[in-house]
Amino acid sequence: MDHSPAVRCRTAFISDIHLGTKGCQAELLLEFIRELECDTLYLVGDIVDGWKMKSGWFWPQAHNDVVQKILRLARKGVKVVYVPGNHDDRIRDFCGVHFGGVVVARDAIHEAADGRRYLVTHGDEFDGVVQNARWLAFLGDWSYRALLALNTHFNRARRLLGLNYWSLSAFLKHKVKDAVAFIDQFETAMADEARRRGVSGVICGHIHKAEIRDFGDIRYLNDGDWVESCTAIVEGFDGEFRIVDWLQARKAFVARPLQLVEGDALAA
């Protein structure tokens, strides 16, 4: 019996996987990649968490499987572009180099099926905290991982009660005034950079919040993360973009495999 991929698209964008950390949802990402069929895959930064790996080695088999699966896609002819972020910034030293069919680029210009052009960049270079107060960024990263650890125990108890996953940090991002203001400033800065570059929009990651919204004539797209939300941005063969929420999409897939290009069943 032939197996049809659950997510069939022209282009896929994923970021903020944070391989090398306990918060990485590698098993869910593997599930997504196995059900993904695309011509081009963009890895939009923070794929490997070099910050965390400096303080201790954590690399279970599932993390290695993610790397191998991505390399396998490249060997099968998928164009894979790796745009590093702040947590894997050392890889920026290798821009222009190919690793097993994966090309490393500081940023990229993606031309969609409808001819529109989009800047693809992680986004940390437009984050004032990362650029101007690196110590504060490290402190924030430590606090975020502590929050994730707390959230893991909380959700373990929720599963025992038959309840769905709930993200404490996502809740706080939406409720805390300063966090909301930071996200808004970041999104505006990204849209401004796209406008300066003369493109139709920007596709980024960094802030772990999947979003598609318009800033006047500029479209802002953020593919989220694979630590909490497990989201990706995909481009259909018509040049339109959607957010795939894999935590929700996999429920539909378990019941009946679906193709993204034939409907919005897998899109948030």
Side-chain angles (χ1 to χ4, degrees):
M1 179 177 173
D2 291 336
H3 175 77
S4 297
V7 183
R8 180 175 291 159
C9 58
R10 182 174 184 265
T11 316
F13 304 81
I14 58 176
S15 75
D16 299 275
I17 300 172
H18 292 277
L19 293 169
T21 69
K22 293 181 180 180
C24 171
Q25 301 280 359
E27 291 82 3
L28 287 170
L29 177 57
L30 279 170
E31 216 176 66
F32 171 73
I33 295 175
R34 289 184 184 120
E35 300 304 329
L36 173 67
E37 182 179 292
C38 62
D39 299 329
T40 304
L41 172 65
Y42 285 94
L43 307 173
V44 195
D46 287 2
I47 305 305
V48 177
D49 197 319
W51 290 12
K52 175 60 179 68
M53 292 173 70
K54 288 179 182 178
S55 62
W57 185 261
F58 179 78
W59 197 267
Q61 183 60 43
H63 293 210
N64 192 59
D65 291 343
V66 168
V67 174
Q68 292 302 319
K69 186 64 176 176
I70 291 172
L71 292 175
R72 192 173 298 121
L73 289 177
R75 288 196 299 270
K76 288 183 176 180
V78 175
K79 180 182 178 182
V80 182
V81 181
Y82 188 166
V83 177
N86 51 306
H87 283 258
D88 48 11
D89 57 350
R90 293 293 181 88
I91 297 177
R92 286 174 173 155
D93 295 336
F94 300 96
C95 288
V97 176
H98 290 249
F99 292 98
V102 178
V103 61
V104 179
R106 183 87 185 193
D107 55 36
I109 299 296
H110 172 71
E111 184 170 338
D114 59 6
R116 289 179 295 179
R117 298 165 67 245
Y118 295 83
L119 170 65
V120 182
T121 182
H122 180 65
D124 61 290
E125 293 174 294
F126 303 90
D127 178 347
V129 173
V130 171
Q131 293 303 309
N132 301 316
R134 193 169 175 84
W135 68 271
L136 188 58
F138 278 108
L139 178 61
D141 179 62
W142 179 88
S143 301
Y144 179 63
R145 285 190 280 109
L147 190 61
L148 284 178
L150 176 63
N151 205 47
T152 298
H153 295 300
F154 177 69
N155 277 287
R156 188 174 294 126
R158 285 179 62 87
R159 282 196 301 272
L160 292 175
L161 296 173
L163 300 174
N164 293 327
Y165 181 88
W166 184 79
S167 172
L168 176 59
S169 67
F171 173 79
L172 291 176
K173 283 179 187 177
H174 285 88
K175 296 298 182 182
V176 178
K177 183 178 179 181
D178 288 345
V180 173
F182 166 76
I183 291 171
D184 186 63
Q185 291 168 7
F186 174 81
E187 293 175 344
T188 300
M190 297 304 300
D192 288 344
E193 177 63 13
R195 190 174 289 111
R196 189 186 71 82
R197 296 271 196 116
V199 294
S200 299
V202 58
I203 302 170
C204 60
H206 186 54
I207 61 171
H208 294 208
K209 184 178 184 295
E211 187 79 66
I212 297 178
R213 61 181 295 200
D214 292 325
F215 288 81
D217 58 334
I218 299 296
R219 174 148 289 192
Y220 166 88
L221 306 98
N222 193 303
D223 57 26
D225 69 279
W226 287 87
V227 176
E228 296 178 87
S229 61
C230 298
T231 54
I233 291 285
V234 295
E235 177 202 357
F237 294 97
D238 56 359
E240 288 299 315
F241 292 86
R242 299 178 178 89
I243 296 171
V244 174
D245 179 341
W246 188 244
L247 292 175
Q248 295 300 318
R250 66 192 298 269
K251 296 176 183 178
F253 171 69
V254 167
R256 179 171 59 89
L258 299 170
Q259 293 182 7
L260 184 65
V261 294
E262 295 182 358
D264 294 334
L266 297 183

